[in-house]
Amino acid sequence: MSLAIIGGTGLTSLEGLEITRREVVRTPYGEPSTPLIHGSFKGYDITFLARHGYSHNIPPHQVNYRANIWALRHVGVQRVLAVAAVGGINEQYGPGRIAIPDQIIDYTHSRTTTFFDEDLSQVTHIDFTYPYDDELRSWLLRAAQEAGVDAVDGGTYGATQGPRLETAAEIKRMRQDGCDVVGMTGMPEAALAREAELPYAHCAVVANWGAGMESGQTLSMDDIRANLTRGMESVKMIIGSLAPKVL
């Protein structure tokens, strides 16, 4: 089974990936964030896509999610692991932790959210009751355990518009809504993967506490970068253990 990794903030390249070729894919929806990188990771074939571009210059609200997902499907990818930095808004999801969420609440707006919006012979709906693929989530959790990474099983990802970080009041509302982590790229990526019939799961790296979670404290970019560095090392360990299960 061909596996794609979509790398977010902190993972614009996959260290240890032996690149075999770069592929420029033209899509009906414009240009993907980057050419697709095909290569071998610990002996297994993987396709890598940097969601925000190699130089991290595409903000969350301007990512061409449709082009990215379409391109991966077009080249024959069969499963997608999305990696992203998030903020923790529940005590179990502190900085440096890895979470494998099982639900999403979408707070984004003004994004193109579907492939099914023009030249339709009929209206198309997808079942999105459970937005992440159960089998891929289970493999991720087992891979984390085998790699010695303490990953949180489950949780609700709150997807916000960005690129700004949230206010303390917004985080309070999201926590009341049942969110456990907050990020800016979870939607419409997950829904588009479902429309494309690509099993999709999320590996969320908690980079910081959400705004207002630490009384009187503001967010430190230095702390965020340090937590991301630590968390992404755990992600690479998980991917190394995951590959034999998926491929």
Side-chain angles (χ1 to χ4, degrees), residues 131-153:
Y132 300 111
D133 182 72
D134 282 342
E135 187 174 45
L136 187 50
R137 284 192 69 256
S138 295
W139 284 340
L140 273 170
L141 289 165
R142 289 203 300 271
Q145 185 177 29
E146 291 172 8
V149 176
D150 184 17
V152 183
D153 180 2

Side-chain angles (χ1 to χ4, degrees), residues 88-89 165-169 171-172 208-214 217 219:
I89 56 179
L165 297 172
E166 301 73 33
T167 68
I171 293 297
K172 181 178 180 181
N208 55 274
W209 286 114
M213 288 292 294
E214 293 183 294
Q217 298 294 316
L219 297 178

Side-chain angles (χ1 to χ4, degrees), residues 6-72:
I6 300 179
T9 300
L11 194 69
T12 54
S13 63
L14 185 58
E15 183 181 346
L17 180 66
E18 298 177 9
I19 298 173
T20 56
R21 64 189 175 99
R22 292 176 169 83
E23 182 176 8
V24 175
V25 180
R26 309 296 181 191
T27 88
Y29 307 101
E31 297 294 319
S33 297
T34 63
L36 303 184
I37 302 298
H38 303 285
S40 175
F41 185 75
K42 298 192 175 181
Y44 296 92
D45 292 336
I46 282 176
T47 298
F48 182 81
L49 172 65
R51 185 188 290 113
H52 299 284
Y54 296 134
S55 57
H56 200 264
N57 63 322
I58 306 172
H61 65 295
Q62 291 184 353
V63 171
N64 192 338
Y65 296 97
R66 289 200 300 180
N68 288 349
I69 294 297
W70 191 95
L72 293 174

Side-chain angles (χ1 to χ4, degrees), residues 32-136:
S33 297
T34 63
L36 303 184
I37 302 298
H38 303 285
S40 175
F41 185 75
K42 298 192 175 181
Y44 296 92
D45 292 336
I46 282 176
T47 298
F48 182 81
L49 172 65
R51 185 188 290 113
H52 299 284
Y54 296 134
S55 57
H56 200 264
N57 63 322
I58 306 172
H61 65 295
Q62 291 184 353
V63 171
N64 192 338
Y65 296 97
R66 289 200 300 180
N68 288 349
I69 294 297
W70 191 95
L72 293 174
R73 176 63 186 269
H74 179 72
V75 301
V77 162
Q78 293 174 294
R79 302 182 192 278
V80 177
L81 170 59
V83 180
V86 299
I89 56 179
N90 219 329
E91 286 78 3
Q92 193 178 1
Y93 301 81
R97 292 297 300 275
I98 303 296
I100 314 297
D102 58 359
Q103 279 296 331
I104 299 173
I105 297 178
D106 188 5
Y107 299 94
T108 66
H109 55 84
S110 306
R111 298 185 182 188
T112 304
T113 60
T114 180
F115 292 115
F116 303 125
D117 63 352
E118 56 186 23
D119 299 325
L120 302 178
S121 58
Q122 63 181 17
V123 175
T124 302
H125 302 285
I126 58 166
D127 177 17
F128 206 51
T129 307
Y130 301 101
Y132 300 111
D133 182 72
D134 282 342
E135 187 174 45
L136 187 50

Side-chain angles (χ1 to χ4, degrees), residues 185-238:
T185 58
M187 288 291 285
E189 192 174 88
L192 291 166
R194 179 62 54 86
E195 288 186 349
E197 300 181 341
L198 286 173
Y200 174 98
H202 217 124
C203 191
V205 180
V206 183
N208 55 274
W209 286 114
M213 288 292 294
E214 293 183 294
S215 180
Q217 298 294 316
T218 56
L219 297 178
S220 163
M221 293 300 110
D222 288 340
D223 288 345
I224 290 174
R225 282 189 287 269
N227 290 325
L228 271 181
T229 298
R230 177 160 52 101
M232 290 304 170
E233 289 304 314
S234 296
V235 168
K236 293 168 189 174
M237 293 167 61
I238 292 173

